[in-house]
Amino acid sequence: MSKPLMSKATAVWLVDNTTLTFKQVADFCGIHELEVQGIADGDVSAGVKGFDPVASNQLDPEEIRKGEADPLYKLRLKFNAAAVGEEKRRGPRYTPLSKRQDRPAAIYWLVKFHPELADAQIARLVGTTKPTIASIRERTHWNIGNITPIDPVALGLCRQTELDSEVQKAAKKKAAEGGLMTDDERRKLVSTETSLAMGQEPRISGLEHLSQPHRDDEEKSPRDFSNADSFFNLPDADDEDDEDEDHGKRS
């Protein structure tokens, strides 16, 4: 484990009871240095009670003394068997209250554009329940008429890497089952970057071999347009002279 239990409360205790630098406290607790400065200024974690890492057997007093003597020294966390697995997520993903109304839109997007994802995968990505996913998949949700599909990454409900990971798992499962995939399904089963890099392929077999038929007759016997006068049916020059002579005699 890289950081202690109750890291912010531990940072509050170290700021109040030691002369360690902000960077030392930040590195030990796994938080940003500016956040430690905010704790010292009273702008961050107001009302949080400090948690003693020495009393909880997470830090030796000797480590604190070494850190106070050398600003470049990095504190080392003691091994605590009870803290193993503390960072591992347990149960469904927690979704803040401000974003819970966006979950149906994210579920609708995943169901529409990634139908290969299992309900358990969607539940991990969005932090919802299987009955809710089933109601949107079967279009029996009470508000299905007003739900617009929106990318869960754009909504901040999951990371792009998490979505790509679940899609890749679905792709491996699909390949293991030996199912045939269309071009659209194959593009859905890969990450966004890979999909954009893929070239366009013909959707109908043999379509690329089709071409317009050759008009052999026109090529073999091209039309002769050298005599342009034939298009206008112009009278001969002799006829015009005759008409002029007749007109002169009559006058």
Side-chain angles (χ1 to χ4, degrees), residues 146-189:
N146 298 322
I147 299 176
T148 302
I150 303 177
D151 190 344
V153 178
L155 293 173
L157 295 175
C158 67
R159 298 186 181 94
Q160 185 65 50
T161 55
E162 295 174 338
L163 176 59
D164 290 344
S165 176
E166 296 295 342
V167 171
Q168 292 296 338
K169 290 179 183 178
K172 292 180 181 179
K173 183 177 179 181
K174 189 83 172 181
E177 293 175 354
L180 297 177
M181 295 181 293
T182 63
D183 292 339
D184 291 338
E185 291 176 341
R186 180 160 51 84
R187 283 175 170 82
K188 289 177 181 178
L189 291 176

Side-chain angles (χ1 to χ4, degrees), residues 118-121 123 128-136:
D119 290 353
Q121 292 178 296
T128 184
T129 59
K130 291 184 179 180
T132 304
I133 300 173
S135 65
I136 295 177

